[in-house]
Amino acid sequence: MLEKGKKYECKIVDMGQTGVGIGKHEGFTVFVDGALLGEVVDVKIKKSKKKYAEGVVSKIKVRSPYRVDRVCNPKYSNCGGCQIQELDYEKQLDLKTNIVKEDLKRIGGLDDVQVFDAIGMDQPFRYRNKAQFPVQMEDGRVKIGFYRKKSHDIIDMDKCVIQDEKNDLIIDIIRRYIEEENISIYDEKTHKGILRHIVTKVGFTSGQVMVVLVATEDRFKNLDRLIEVLKREVAGFTSLVVNINKDKTNVILGRKNINKYGRGKIIDNIGDLKFEISPLSFFQVNPIQTEVLYSKTLEYADLKEGDRVFDIYCGIGTISLFLAQKAEFVYGVEIVEDAIKDARLNADLNGMDNLDFFVGKAEEVVPKIYKEGKRANVVVVDPPRKGCDERVLDTIVDMEPDRVVYVSCNPSTLARDLRYLEDRGYRCEKVQPVDLFPHSVHVETVALLSKLDVDKHIDVEIKLDELDLTSAESKATYAQIKEYILEKFNLKVSTLYIAQIKKKCGIELREHYNKSKKEKQVIPQCTPEKEEAIMDALRHFKMI
Ligand code: SAH
């Protein structure tokens, strides 16, 4: 075991998913914050365990050829925003590609899926259209900036090189306003004070700018003066909103918005489409790479005339609208009501009427609208970090779309969900990581899954003439069971599924059920919903 507080020499042999260097000291594993692959460093131990230790670099003895200087300010090296800014950008992309490959292998057991190299940016700076700066008061001094790594201390900053340049100017103006008007600043510990966060949103193509002051109360002195300065000095300034958040919470924005200047919204374009963005609506933070991501999604969806699409976890309908340019019809599903309002508005704004949106939890709404008869032959999902709920995946499996395009912000839940679909009749064809967040360890990924043609891909031979010769007293043919289920439940079930359930119920099958000799034989498993329907049919035909 290494001793806490002491320094040890380590050689960095790998990099972890959080951007941390994985080092060895005499064979013992040490996770080293601030160290890059290939470096030899002295590390100060912060945490010591039996099998590993964690620490921070105290001295770089052999510098990685891929180490580059921080572009913003050496003082910001503890900023929690950019974990890997000091790693050469090409190497950042390699790291992200590897993160995706490894998760697919380790978690999804997907060894031979084609994973392309992450698509990066030509100019990986000044790419963010949204900033959220916490504000604190320390010894009578205003601090506006970013949280220090693993803490709620603020690193005061005057420029952030991943943000749109206008944000540096806005922070400067608001800092002056706070000082001159003696604005009360919120204190997390005592839960007293007013101003908590400054949030800005910038439209990259429209140039429009919205500033949101997140506060416990709508009580700002001489706000008109601030508005005048913002109008005069910030090109494109169109909206000032006070957002009320009274809760003891880490969630930045509250529910209530009060427009102080302008419409409380900005417009931006992605590709040929226009979007209205409000303070609460989710909009990807890197508009340049978002276009790359959505174009890839559209390419993988490979829409043809007459295709109908589900866009699950649709936010303000960005991907839905992209798809609706080609699809016959798109159904979007999203949990945030305001986002769905925006989605409908956005469809109108772009003169599109081949979309319909549903509010609610995807795990409830998707099975419900499927039962009501809504169908798609292409499904797109873009879930939050925790991935898709199984009820969503089960409904997709039941619906049997030809293609599923999975857009993911978390490779590990992506891998888990791809495995789930692979076990149920889908094959992951290809995977494309896209770098939406240069200098952070985050990566977006698009994966294409295609429905396996059961007859072609699954060597299960079922001799139909023998199928209905069961030992049950009463029996129905597979065709009758299928017909009954389609009529009663509006569900299509395969012969294979019926055979599986019959077997489960102890009904003797005389069909040959020959598995192929191929390794990793994929046999789709009947979903709970279809199982229930088949059981109902078996009961109806008095077979059980
Ligand atoms: N496709 C959109 C948004 C993707 S982010 C875009 O590209 O802009 C994921 C979205 O899932 C968010 O809008 C979030 O509000 C929504 N979400 C989270 N949990 C959900 C759930 N259980 N059901 C439906 N939507 C959910």
Side-chain angles (χ1 to χ4, degrees):
M1 243 170 98
L2 304 185
E3 211 174 302
K4 194 174 157 186
K6 272 203 162 178
K7 288 179 188 166
Y8 299 87
E9 189 182 278
C10 270
K11 183 167 169 51
I12 307 300
V13 293
D14 201 356
M15 286 190 75
Q17 301 213 349
T18 53
V20 70
I22 302 175
K24 292 282 178 191
H25 172 78
E26 294 171 1
F28 192 80
T29 303
V30 189
F31 296 98
V32 190
D33 205 11
L36 300 179
L37 182 63
E39 292 190 318
V40 177
V41 296
D42 277 344
V43 49
K44 188 171 176 186
I45 303 300
K46 295 269 174 191
K47 197 189 228 176
S48 178
K49 299 260 180 197
K50 253 195 211 141
K51 295 213 167 121
Y52 69 93
E54 290 174 20
V56 289
V57 170
S58 68
K59 187 174 172 194
I60 299 173
K61 290 175 151 172
V62 178
R63 199 180 145 102
S64 161
Y66 307 116
R67 183 176 280 281
V68 293
D69 288 335
R70 190 164 268 275
V71 174
C72 46
N73 184 334
K75 280 196 303 200
Y76 300 166
S77 67
N78 276 327
C79 169
C82 295
Q83 303 97 344
I84 49 173
Q85 206 200 103
E86 283 155 46
L87 180 63
D88 172 74
Y89 187 56
E90 286 304 316
K91 287 287 156 194
Q92 291 185 18
L93 295 176
D94 289 349
L95 178 70
K96 294 184 188 196
T97 308
N98 281 335
I99 289 174
V100 174
K101 278 187 183 161
E102 267 176 33
D103 276 352
L104 291 183
K105 249 188 230 166
R106 196 170 45 86
I107 301 168
L110 300 156
D111 297 327
D112 40 19
V113 171
Q114 191 174 14
V115 180
F116 298 105
D117 289 343
I119 304 175
M121 298 187 80
D122 293 336
Q123 299 287 339
F125 289 99
R126 298 288 184 196
Y127 64 80
R128 279 186 70 103
N129 59 9
K130 174 179 124 180
Q132 312 190 115
F133 305 102
V135 189
Q136 269 173 14
M137 192 62 100
E138 194 182 87
D139 303 329
R141 215 169 53 86
V142 188
K143 293 208 295 184
I144 306 175
F146 292 101
Y147 291 125
R148 196 180 296 281
K149 274 182 204 163
K150 296 181 191 160
S151 117
H152 265 207
D153 270 1
I154 291 178
I155 297 183
D156 201 19
M157 59 129 233
D158 53 8
K159 81 169 180 181
C160 172
V161 293
I162 60 168
Q163 292 293 345
D164 187 277
E165 244 159 342
K166 286 176 186 167
N167 285 328
D168 297 343
L169 181 60
I170 293 169
I171 294 306
D172 185 46
I173 293 170
I174 297 183
R175 192 190 295 275
R176 275 187 273 144
Y177 166 72
I178 294 170
E179 285 166 357
E180 285 164 20
E181 300 293 342
N182 209 3
I183 298 299
S184 147
I185 304 297
Y186 177 73
D187 181 336
E188 259 184 5
K189 293 196 186 86
T190 61
H191 195 53
K192 291 210 169 76
I194 296 178
L195 180 61
R196 301 171 71 132
H197 269 85
I198 300 162
V199 175
T200 61
K201 295 196 177 193
V202 179
F204 270 35
T205 46
S206 67
Q208 295 183 357
V209 178
M210 170 162 59
V211 178
V212 183
L213 303 176
V214 185
T216 51
E217 291 176 61
D218 176 22
R219 212 152 52 81
F220 286 97
K221 274 174 275 172
N222 294 327
L223 206 54
D224 288 346
R225 246 205 58 211
L226 173 66
I227 292 169
E228 282 315 307
V229 181
L230 287 168
K231 270 164 63 178
R232 201 171 54 231
E233 295 187 20
V234 182
F237 170 67
T238 36
S239 275
L240 182 82
V241 176
V242 172
N243 173 276
I244 304 295
N245 186 355
K246 292 179 190 294
D247 297 342
K248 277 189 184 165
T249 168
N250 280 341
V251 177
I252 295 173
L253 290 158
R255 297 278 314 150
K256 189 173 170 193
N257 290 310
I258 305 162
N259 288 350
K260 295 293 179 181
Y261 172 74
R263 292 170 54 238
K265 287 185 179 222
I266 55 165
I267 295 243
D268 203 10
N269 301 63
I270 296 182
D272 295 332
L273 298 168
K274 265 193 267 183
F275 294 97
E276 276 210 337
I277 304 157
S278 52
L280 289 171
S281 50
F282 176 91
F283 193 67
Q284 289 284 10
V285 297
N286 181 337
I288 295 161
Q289 291 299 85
T290 297
E291 191 171 344
V292 174
L293 181 76
Y294 291 174
S295 302
K296 200 41 87 176
T297 308
L298 197 59
E299 180 194 317
Y300 281 8
D302 189 22
L303 295 176
K304 310 209 171 52
E305 226 187 295
D307 278 347
R308 300 176 82 81
V309 190
F310 272 22
D311 177 18
I312 308 174
Y313 309 96
C314 70
I316 60 167
T318 29
I319 294 180
S320 319
L321 263 67
F322 242 72
L323 297 163
Q325 292 172 304
K326 290 252 174 98
E328 180 179 281
F329 205 86
V330 180
Y331 298 102
V333 178
E334 158 67 42
I335 196 167
V336 176
E337 201 175 338
D338 283 353
I340 288 291
K341 277 188 198 150
D342 283 349
R344 292 193 177 116
L345 252 162
N346 286 328
D348 286 346
L349 196 68
N350 290 283
M352 298 170 107
D353 58 6
N354 56 338
L355 302 106
D356 201 355
F357 293 99
F358 300 86
V359 190
K361 290 184 187 158
E363 53 273 29
E364 289 165 8
V365 173
V366 173
K368 181 166 165 272
I369 60 175
Y370 172 63
K371 260 211 182 106
E372 287 166 6
K374 308 262 186 301
R375 294 288 183 274
N377 55 329
V378 177
V379 171
V380 176
V381 295
D382 183 8
R385 290 190 64 77
K386 68 176 181 204
C388 292
D389 189 284
E390 278 187 11
R391 283 168 284 178
V392 171
L393 298 175
D394 286 339
T395 310
I396 295 172
V397 171
D398 281 344
M399 190 159 61
E400 300 184 359
D402 304 322
R403 287 177 296 290
V404 179
V405 183
Y406 196 128
V407 184
S408 162
C409 55
N410 182 352
S412 42
T413 52
L414 169 72
R416 180 200 67 199
D417 291 349
L418 292 183
R419 173 80 269 149
Y420 195 87
L421 291 170
E422 281 237 342
D423 289 343
R424 288 161 182 79
Y426 282 84
R427 169 161 298 157
C428 182
E429 307 271 357
K430 47 189 174 179
V431 174
Q432 175 66 67
V434 181
D435 188 20
L436 263 74
F437 314 103
H439 316 297
S440 87
V441 287
H442 298 294
V443 58
E444 287 274 330
T445 310
V446 194
L448 169 65
L449 293 125
S450 299
K451 172 119 192 65
L452 281 178
D453 180 337
V454 175
D455 295 332
K456 270 197 211 139
H457 291 271
I458 300 180
D459 270 331
V460 181
E461 197 186 313
I462 303 174
K463 288 214 173 119
L464 285 166
D465 55 337
E466 295 186 10
L467 282 177
D468 50 349
L469 297 173
T470 69
S471 61
E473 269 173 31
S474 161
K475 52 192 182 287
T477 63
Y478 281 67
Q480 283 171 318
I481 295 174
K482 284 182 185 177
E483 199 183 307
Y484 172 84
I485 292 172
L486 187 65
E487 206 145 274
K488 181 157 179 194
F489 298 98
N490 197 16
L491 285 175
K492 275 198 297 188
V493 294
S494 64
T495 306
L496 177 69
Y497 285 169
I498 300 173
Q500 280 171 355
I501 303 307
K502 279 167 91 177
K503 206 170 174 189
K504 207 169 164 179
C505 294
I507 300 173
E508 208 178 299
L509 302 179
R510 287 199 23 215
E511 64 262 41
H512 296 287
Y513 203 71
N514 299 333
K515 279 194 189 177
S516 122
K517 306 281 178 294
K518 268 187 270 162
E519 263 186 72
K520 290 208 196 140
Q521 172 76 23
V522 183
I523 299 191
Q525 293 300 313
C526 185
T527 58
E529 192 189 17
K530 287 193 176 170
E531 177 171 341
E532 222 168 84
I534 295 168
M535 295 283 282
D536 185 278
L538 297 181
R539 276 193 293 272
H540 172 80
F541 291 114
K542 302 203 167 52
M543 294 167 76
I544 49 170

